[in-house]
Each structure stands twice: as C-alpha cells, then as structure tokens.
Amino acid sequence: MPDGTQTMIGQPALRIDGRAKLTGRARYASDEVVPNPAHAFLVTSSIARGRIRGFHLDQARAVPGVLDILTHENVGGEAEKPKPMAGGDTTSTLESDRVWHDGQIIAVVVADSFEAAREAAHKVRVDYEAERPSATFGSPGAEEEVRKAGEHKDYHVGDAEAAFAAAPFKVDARYGTPTQHHNPIELFTTTCVWNGSKLTVYEPSQFVYGLRGNLAQQLHIEPGDIHVISRYVGGAFGSRGGITARTAWIAIAARRLGRPVRLVPTRDQGFTIVTYRAETRHHIQLGATSDGRLTALRHEGWEVTSRPSQYNVSGTETTARVYACPNILTKVNIVHADRNTPGFMRAPPETPYMFPLEVAMDELAVALGMDPVELRRVNDTMRDPATGLEYSSRSLMECYDQAGARFGWKSRDPAPRSMRDGDWLVGWGCASAAYPANIGPAAVRVTLTPEGRARVQIAAHDIGTGAYTVLAITAAERLGLPIEHVTVELGGSELPAAGLAAGSSHTAGICNAVAKACEEIRQKLALAAVVTNDGALSGQDASALVLREGALRSPAGAKEDLRAALSRVTGGVLEVYAENIPQGLPRESIGKAYAGQMSMSRGHSRQDATTYTFGAQFVEVRVHSRTGEVRVPRAVGAFAAGTIVNPLTAHSQCIGGMIWGIGAALHEATEIDPNAARYVNDNLSEYLIPVNADVPQVEAILVPERDDRVNPLGIKGLGEIGIVGMNAAVCNAVWHATGRRIRELPIRIEDLL
Ligand code: MOS
C-alpha cells in the first residue's frame, strides 16, 4: 500500500453507533421485534450432582397461559450437546437425567406471558437422586489430573530444577485466584423464530458464525438454514464466545410451538447457564543471581473445571515468555468438580496467571534489595525465552518508563510502611502486563458508490469495544472519504465471516480485511485511470495513486474525481469481496470461520516471530492502619499495542480493564457453598465490583509503537491487556503499605488486621 495515506487511523473518533445506543434506537437481541412471541422461563437444578428421577408438572401446567414444558423426557432426543469453544466435552442438560452442577437448565416453561412462565416454572417439582457434590480445590471427590496435551503447550527449557537449587536468590511460593463471573449488563437472552425449515436466532454473540455452525450441528440441520442476528451487544467479556445449552432448548421450544419464543433469563441464572472465570492455584519458583538476572522459572498452575470438561486457560504460555530466563519449566493441572464449565473471561489466561508471576517478581526484588522496575529492566529481552524467536516488537520498558514517570515512581521509599499519611499507610506497587497479539481470518464486502459513499459488510461483532467505528475509520481512510460517508453492517451470519471477537484479535482481523478490500478498489480505479488516453492520470504509475478527499490523486497533485474514476470500471457501484488470511494460518482458515470453528493466529504460535503486546501498571493504595480498609486513589498504566486505530475507544478499553483489575484485586469473588457446591452471591448486590468512589483516578498512556511484522496494519490489539497485572500491582502496593504479602485474591480487610 502506498505510504503517506494515513490520515484517520490514529485520530480519536466518536463511536458511529453512539447516537443509536444513546437514543434507544439500537436494538439489542431481545429488543428485536418478532411476531407474537411466547415467553420462556428456565427451570434450573437445585442440586449440584445426581440424577433427575422425575418431574411433577401438573401444578405448573395448570397456570393459565402455559403452553409447553420441555424436559429431557419429552425433547431430549431432539438435539446433541453443544460443542464448547475449547477443551473437550461440556456439562449439558438436554439429553439425559444427569445433573452436573447447581443451576443447570433442566426444564423450560413456555407461556403466553413472561409472568405466567415464571409462575409455572416455580411450580415445577423435581424428584432428585442427589449425591454429595465436590465444590472446589480440596473438596472430597474433586479429581486432579495433568492437563492433556492439546491446544496448549508446556515449556521445558534448560534445567529449571537444577538452576533453582543452585540460585543464590529465590522465591518459592503459592498463590490463588477466585472464581469470577462476568456480568454484562445485557442478560443472556435468546429469541428463536422458525419460518418453515429456516430458523432465525437473535442472541448477543461474539461469534455469529460459531453460534450458527454449532447450533446446526446440535439440531441436525443445515448451517445455511440458520440466521444469527446480533447487531448490538451489551457487554460480553468472553461470556458470549461459545454456544451454551440454552440456545437449542429455545429453538426446540419455538419449533414445537410453531411460534417465536423469547428467553430473558434472570441475573442469577446468568451465573450458571453460561461460562465464568475458573478458580486457580499456582506454585512459582524463581531463582536469580545477585544482580537480579533470572536463572530459573518454574510455574505450575491448577484450574477448576467441570466433571466432563478439559477446559483450561494455561496462562503459563504467557508467563514463560515475559522475562529472559535460560531455565524454564511449566505445567498445568485441572481439577474436576461439580461445577458448570468455565470459559473465557477478559484475558482468560493472563489475569490469573500473571498475578503469581508479578507478585513473585516483587518478592524477588525485595529479596534482592532491588527496585522492582529495575528488576524488570535487567530481565528485559527482545527474544522469546521459551522459543528463541524474536519479538516482532516489544516495548515493555518504554511502558515502565512512561507510566513510572507519570506516576512519580522515583520518589518511592522502598521500605514497607515508610510512606504514611496520618492514619493511612501509603503503598506504591507495579507490575508488568503482557498479552499475545492474536489475529483471526476475516472476509468483508466493501461497496463504493459514485456519490462517494461506502458500505462495509462484515460479520464482525461490536461488544462495546468500538468495532463499528474502527471499521468505518479504516474504510474512510483507505477510500479517502469522511467517516460519515461510511456505513457499517455487522453482527449477522448473512454477512461475510469474520471469526470470533475475542482474544483481543478482532480489530487486527477485521481492519486488515477492510484495508485489503479497499486496496483492491484503489488498484482497480488506479489501473483504469492510468491506461486511458484522455484522463488527468493517463500514463501515471498506478501503484503511486491514492484515494484521498473524494478523488484519485497522484503524488504530484494530478487528480480525478471519484465519479469519473469509478465510471471507468463500473456503470454503477463497485463492490469488492476480500478475504484476509493472517500470516501463519492456512488458506482453509477462512472456511473454518464460515463453518463456525475457531481459528486464530496466536502471538505465541507463529513460526516467524513472537507477537505480544506489553504494558506496565502502577498503583497507589492507602490502607487504614486501624480498620484495614484499602483504597486505590490512583493508577497509571502504559500500553504499547502497535497501531492504535481509534485512540478514544482504545483508551476506554485500557481504563476499563484497569478498573476491572482493581476489582479483581480487592472485590471480586464468586463465593461457593462448600457443601452444596452452589454460588451464594449470584447477584449484582453481593458480587462486589468497584464503583466510581472506589476508583478516583485512572490514567492510561498509549505508548507509540510501530510493528511492521505483526500484520499489514501493525495492529496488536488491546481489548484485554488493561486488566492484566493490575491485581498484582495492587497486591504489591498493599505489601509496600503494610509489609504484608497477600498471595490469595481478593485481598480482604481480615487479611490486613
Ligand atoms: Mo475475550 S475473554 O477473549 O472474549
């Protein structure tokens, strides 16, 4: 692509969908108008393990308005289990009497009104054959196994055991992170409408083709007979990445009834009918020389999953490659309990796994008597220690330098309990953030009209991240149009496939696809303009022409307006379909996206380079010396993620992630009753999250970085990195304030009294 054309990528732009959202014109899945819908209410299990002996449905059926009650007994043969995104089998509900976890969907009541369905659902009586469930780590009956080889890798570099034994400075400690639930404001709704053999599904989704492909498989119908629509999504954070059990239940309900069925589950049902972040434990061993160079890194992790699932996040793939170290050993275990199957939640591997590494690094700095930032500097590297590959770019220390300067780190007194302010103990802590620069395949259709309007059609997903806007920015820039002249259609399986909006991969995947389509348009117009005998651009070098400000232009200033240029190649509009296959993925990966299978080039799986995004987090905490209350008056993060397409929404992603990281350190945990294996704070009042008063000042710095190797536009993605390392930075600051090293999250007042 010719240089010197960048004018809009990198400029802050307001969300093009902002007005629709603010005025209520934006239709979220359950707002979509369908004719005469019936309403579904879920009946969920009240035991965590066992079997259903039978249902008593008479009282429920007697509620006026009740139309149907689905159970495994009457519809169990109509669908297969859903296929989870990763990790083998899952807990599912439709096909048998087996209860895998508390809150599992065991029946669906359908009625003329939501109220009737709810009333009847509460009148469903169930006879169970209950068994004693295992809730979590250490519960009787929980089964531990070494994670099976599969999607994730363990690293064995050098001899970490011997190097650790010989190291003059060591950290050897165990850490833990709790179960957490994403609670997007939009509930986990599903609306199904059949028209003959064709099914339309309205469901908030991070992967409309995935939902389509998996549902088709479950229902034994053609994927082409299913249309998934998800134009606006009220938050996702990973919770809408894979298909869950509810969709097939509602599709079957609508088919039996011959009428659209709408499900709007309750908030507490959202804790058990979809995925969540698994509880983890870690053992870290670090060995270092007296000047702080790491000689050994061992990281063993444990993750809770459901009985049948192999789901795990294996964040050791990141922790093995943050610092230079000649001897590395990683291992991951999973622990099966009677729980729903976990899944993606913002920075799924890095949030729980970078926590122990970054706290251990802080502990090592203390042991060495070294500044924690300097410890990171000594161990910085431009080569991936796990594989020996170069990083395509890595600006970890630039992030530390910029955030540290802004924070004022220089004036920190390293001694714990040294920075008091009246009754408040002041602590400053820092930690690294790292996240792979992933990218998925994407197809797109771009249409240009003689009036200088463009339309971008792509089955992308805007889960609140700003995808609508970055697509418009990219097309506007590459076609030389104002952003207002670009319309974007996304969120539907009628559009060209664009993979899964997850793993911070989406902006890179979809913007590179749009750029490719726009480049094809530019080439077509340029070639036609230079070969003609009578145009302003006749005989020019086609590769040097650019589309800018509504015209095709040469570097010397000759130009031809868009209408004239377009008229040479088309009598009407010019429509281009393009597919972008990222480096490292096979041609078939685009077919996989259409088939609804996950296919992604990962930052740690490329053969030519390791592609990672880095950042640095700095936090001030104040701990009350008498009450143990912890406040976070300010936090500064810096992130280097290659090309930033829209700094405005990028900044929002970063501060949102940082605030969530504060919550992960101090507030968030899904509590589970150890006897019943039941979540007890499954609501928004008792599941604690930080609110404005908890987070007075959060600053995110976007550190300029150029990466020509990661992908043509140089985008590394930053939807998730903002949360990474924050939990450790808070924890390290609490140590600095109090002298107490807390290794299990969240940090509670009782840990500090
Ligand atoms: Mo994100 S948790 O990878 O959807």
Side-chain angles (χ1 to χ4, degrees):
M1 269 164 242
D3 262 348
T5 56
Q6 295 218 342
T7 52
M8 293 177 205
I9 290 181
Q11 296 303 314
L14 294 172
R15 289 171 195 264
I16 62 169
D17 51 329
R19 182 178 295 269
K21 284 181 168 172
L22 283 175
T23 55
R25 244 189 323 114
R27 282 206 216 122
Y28 292 79
S30 64
D31 303 331
E32 299 271 9
V33 178
V34 298
N36 189 30
H39 298 267
F41 199 94
L42 303 177
V43 179
T44 58
S45 68
S46 61
I47 64 163
R49 180 184 170 91
R51 298 205 171 264
I52 296 166
R53 274 215 204 96
F55 294 95
H56 303 280
L57 303 176
D58 293 350
Q59 278 187 40
R61 286 212 177 96
V63 173
V66 168
L67 301 166
D68 197 1
I69 301 177
L70 285 69
T71 71
H72 73 275
E73 291 173 351
N74 56 15
V75 301
E78 291 190 41
E80 283 178 26
K81 292 186 203 182
K83 245 176 100 184
M85 260 318 158
D89 218 343
T90 188
T91 43
S92 156
T93 58
L94 199 52
E95 68 287 342
S96 83
D97 59 355
R98 175 82 189 247
V99 176
W100 296 99
H101 62 87
D102 178 69
Q104 170 181 322
I105 304 170
I106 55 172
V108 178
V109 178
V110 185
D112 276 323
S113 71
F114 174 81
E115 290 74 14
R118 180 177 56 186
E119 183 185 343
H122 287 126
K123 290 185 167 163
V124 170
R125 294 281 166 266
V126 187
D127 285 338
Y128 296 104
E129 197 175 296
E131 295 168 38
R132 190 188 156 82
S134 315
T136 182
F137 293 116
S139 299
E143 299 164 289
E144 178 175 325
E145 65 171 320
V146 179
R147 185 243 300 128
K148 290 188 180 60
E151 161 190 29
H152 297 296
K153 273 201 193 82
D154 284 319
Y155 295 106
H156 302 256
V157 182
D159 185 345
E161 256 171 79
F164 180 72
F169 289 87
K170 299 180 197 201
V171 172
D172 186 342
R174 292 179 180 269
Y175 305 83
T177 67
T179 305
Q180 298 177 340
H181 276 80
H182 14 47
N183 272 299
I185 292 299
E186 184 185 14
L187 294 164
F188 295 98
T189 74
T190 298
T191 302
C192 288
V193 184
W194 289 89
N195 193 344
S197 63
K198 307 278 184 192
L199 170 63
T200 303
V201 179
Y202 301 95
E203 185 175 303
S205 174
Q206 291 172 260
F207 192 15
V208 289
Y209 272 91
L211 192 56
R212 183 183 90 145
N214 283 304
L215 187 59
Q217 206 164 36
Q218 275 193 268
L219 298 175
H220 307 291
I221 62 178
E222 285 300 312
D225 284 343
I226 301 179
H227 184 194
V228 176
I229 296 177
S230 173
R231 306 292 183 211
Y232 296 94
V233 180
F237 313 113
S239 66
R240 313 198 201 272
I243 191 166
T244 59
R246 72 187 194 273
T247 314
W249 281 101
I250 301 307
I252 293 169
R255 188 165 60 191
R256 280 164 65 91
L257 211 54
R259 180 172 163 187
V261 173
R262 171 168 291 156
L263 168 71
V264 180
T266 62
R267 177 63 63 187
D268 63 310
Q269 288 171 342
F271 279 69
T272 59
I273 65 168
V274 303
T275 59
Y276 61 100
R277 193 194 295 288
E279 193 176 355
T280 69
R281 296 287 181 270
H282 306 266
H283 182 202
I284 298 263
Q285 292 179 316
L286 297 178
T289 60
S290 56
D291 58 2
R293 278 178 300 118
L294 287 173
T295 55
L297 162 65
R298 295 179 72 185
H299 188 169
E300 182 167 5
W302 289 261
E303 305 177 24
V304 169
T305 186
S306 65
R307 284 289 172 193
S309 174
Q310 289 286 322
Y311 181 84
N312 63 87
V313 297
S314 288
T316 45
E317 280 167 315
T318 290
T319 57
R321 47 172 48 92
V322 182
Y323 303 115
C325 184
N327 302 292
I328 301 169
L329 190 61
T330 70
K331 186 181 171 191
V332 173
N333 312 282
I334 58 180
V335 174
H336 298 279
D338 299 298
R339 304 281 290 260
N340 46 326
T341 303
F344 309 145
M345 182 162 148
R346 206 174 199 172
E350 287 73 17
T351 303
Y353 277 75
M354 282 291 281
F355 169 70
L357 177 68
E358 290 304 294
V359 175
M361 285 295 281
D362 201 67
E363 296 186 62
L364 182 61
V366 173
L368 288 158
M370 220 174 147
D371 180 86
V373 174
E374 292 314 303
L375 179 62
R376 268 77 174 194
R377 198 182 310 280
V378 166
N379 290 291
D380 192 28
T381 174
M382 288 308 290
R383 268 191 195 281
D384 179 341
T387 59
L389 290 173
E390 273 180 36
Y391 286 101
S392 62
S393 60
R394 170 169 160 136
S395 310
L396 176 66
M397 292 322 297
E398 285 82 350
C399 292
Y400 267 107
D401 291 342
Q402 291 201 21
R406 177 80 196 165
F407 185 84
W409 183 257
K410 260 198 338 269
S411 54
R412 176 180 184 257
D413 181 335
R417 301 181 72 89
S418 61
M419 293 171 60
R420 217 180 156 107
D421 179 6
D423 280 342
W424 293 90
L425 303 168
V426 178
W428 289 3
C430 66
S432 302
Y435 194 88
N438 305 322
I439 180 170
V444 65
R445 193 180 305 112
V446 176
T447 308
L448 182 63
T449 75
E451 293 76 33
R453 304 269 164 174
R455 182 169 62 165
V456 176
Q457 293 171 298
I458 182 167
H461 314 84
D462 193 327
I463 56 178
T465 44
Y468 273 107
T469 313
V470 291
L471 288 164
I473 290 171
T474 307
E477 160 155 320
R478 292 298 157 122
L479 297 174
L481 305 174
I483 291 178
E484 310 78 65
H485 287 193
V486 181
T487 56
V488 175
E489 292 170 23
L490 56 68
S493 63
E494 79 284 9
L495 300 165
L500 176 69
S504 301
S505 69
H506 212 43
T507 301
I510 62 183
C511 291
N512 276 293
V514 169
K516 193 173 173 194
C518 293
E519 170 61 9
E520 264 184 53
I521 289 174
R522 188 201 67 80
Q523 277 180 20
K524 281 192 203 307
L525 299 183
L527 285 173
V530 300
V531 297
T532 185
N533 289 326
D534 58 350
L537 300 167
S538 302
Q540 299 259 4
D541 171 10
S543 68
L545 303 185
V546 297
L547 284 164
R548 200 161 186 175
E549 287 168 32
L552 188 62
R553 294 166 191 267
S554 77
K559 65 163 185 161
E560 188 164 67
D561 78 35
L562 199 57
R563 182 180 293 276
L566 205 58
S567 70
R568 286 211 184 80
V569 296
T570 171
V573 301
L574 179 55
E575 183 178 286
V576 165
Y577 169 86
E579 295 175 346
N580 188 53
I581 316 277
Q583 168 113 21
L585 286 184
R587 175 99 225 125
E588 309 84 77
S589 65
I590 193 77
K592 280 186 149 190
Y594 275 100
Q597 293 157 15
M598 185 160 78
S599 162
M600 205 181 272
S601 166
R602 307 264 187 176
H604 44 65
S605 63
R606 268 168 67 160
Q607 301 299 309
D608 59 328
T610 293
T611 62
Y612 253 72
T613 307
F614 289 93
Q617 311 272 22
F618 288 82
V619 171
E620 176 173 319
V621 301
R622 286 171 176 243
V623 182
H624 198 276
S625 58
R626 288 174 221 280
T627 65
E629 178 187 354
V630 185
R631 313 294 304 177
V632 179
R634 65 195 183 99
V636 180
F639 310 94
T643 301
I644 305 299
V645 182
N646 185 358
L648 194 63
T649 43
H651 180 263
S652 297
Q653 285 298 305
C654 291
I655 61 172
M658 290 171 69
I659 291 166
W660 198 345
I662 293 170
L666 297 176
H667 307 102
E668 257 192 83
T670 311
E671 310 288 350
I672 184 159
D673 178 326
N675 297 313
R678 176 178 303 142
Y679 301 132
V680 293
N681 57 340
D682 53 352
N683 54 67
L684 282 183
S685 54
E686 290 164 294
Y687 185 95
L688 303 182
I689 55 168
V691 297
N692 285 15
D694 296 308
V695 200
Q697 195 185 334
V698 174
E699 287 180 65
I701 300 166
L702 296 166
V703 173
E705 184 184 65
R706 184 173 165 153
D707 188 330
D708 294 325
R709 293 169 72 182
V710 65
N711 54 59
L713 290 179
I715 298 167
K716 287 165 83 180
L718 41 58
E720 292 163 278
I721 193 166
I723 191 175
V724 181
M726 269 312 271
N727 46 12
V730 171
C731 187
N732 296 340
V734 166
W735 172 83
H736 184 234
T738 64
R740 297 225 190 162
R741 184 61 73 179
I742 314 297
R743 299 191 182 88
E744 212 162 299
L745 296 179
I747 299 168
R748 301 173 198 266
I749 285 174
E750 50 269 39
D751 298 325
L752 300 171
L753 289 176

